[in-house]
Amino acid sequence: QVQVLESGGGLVQPGGSLRLSCVASGLTLENYTVGWFRQAPGKEREGVSCISSSDGRSHHVDSVKGRFTISRDNAKNTVYLHMNSLKPEDTAVYYCATPYSEGFGCYTAPASLKILEYAYWGQGTQVTVSS
C-alpha cells in the first residue's frame, strides 16, 4: 500500500539549482524521518541528507553541507530536497526513502542514513550537472 515517488530531476549547469520532491501515499511523511540518497554510475548508493520528524532538523553529509537543504510541506505530504551550487560530482540518481518505524530518528549524517534501515523507496530521479 505504501508508495514513494520522487520527481524534479533534470539537467542543470554547474552552479545551478534544482528542487526534488518526495511524495508518499499509504503513510504520513510528517510522522517519519525522510532520507535522501543518491547513486552515481558505477558507485555504491550513499546517503545524502535526512530530516527528522521529532524536531524538524535536517542533517547532511559533508559533501553537500551548506549547499543542500530539506523542507516539508505536510499539507501536501511532501518533502523537498533543495540543491544549490550544484557540482558535476552531484550527478546521480536521487532516491527518497522512509524507515520502518516512526521512531527512527535523523540525528546525524551519515549515521542516520543507513540504507538497510530504510523500508520504502521511490524509483529515483536523475540529476545531471554538466556544462
Side-chain angles (χ1 to χ4, degrees):
Q1 304 300 104
V2 176
Q3 288 190 312
V4 178
L5 178 63
E6 308 97 335
S7 63
L11 175 64
V12 64
Q13 295 268 102
S17 299
L18 284 173
R19 186 184 74 171
L20 306 184
S21 299
C22 175
V23 180
S25 61
L27 60 77
T28 301
L29 285 182
E30 181 180 4
N31 299 328
Y32 289 83
T33 284
V34 176
W36 284 95
F37 302 79
R38 67 186 182 185
Q39 187 167 17
K43 296 185 178 180
E44 295 289 317
R45 190 171 300 185
E46 64 172 345
V48 177
S49 305
C50 62
I51 185 168
S52 71
S53 61
S54 57
D55 61 8
R57 292 185 175 183
S58 59
H59 301 275
H60 312 272
V61 296
D62 288 344
S63 60
V64 307
K65 192 174 297 181
R67 300 188 297 119
F68 290 12
T69 60
I70 304 179
S71 66
R72 294 180 182 267
D73 186 340
N74 292 329
K76 296 181 178 179
N77 205 28
T78 300
V79 170
Y80 301 102
L81 180 66
H82 308 264
M83 305 186 296
N84 304 306
S85 302
L86 283 163
K87 305 174 181 179
E89 51 263 45
D90 296 318
T91 295
V93 177
Y94 283 72
Y95 299 88
C96 174
T98 62
Y100 292 93
S101 172
E102 294 183 6
F104 184 88
C106 170
Y107 300 113
T108 62
S112 297
L113 290 161
K114 296 178 180 177
I115 291 171
L116 292 179
E117 295 184 349
Y118 285 76
Y120 304 109
W121 294 77
Q123 85 293 338
T125 186
Q126 176 72 50
V127 172
T128 302
V129 184
S130 177
S131 60

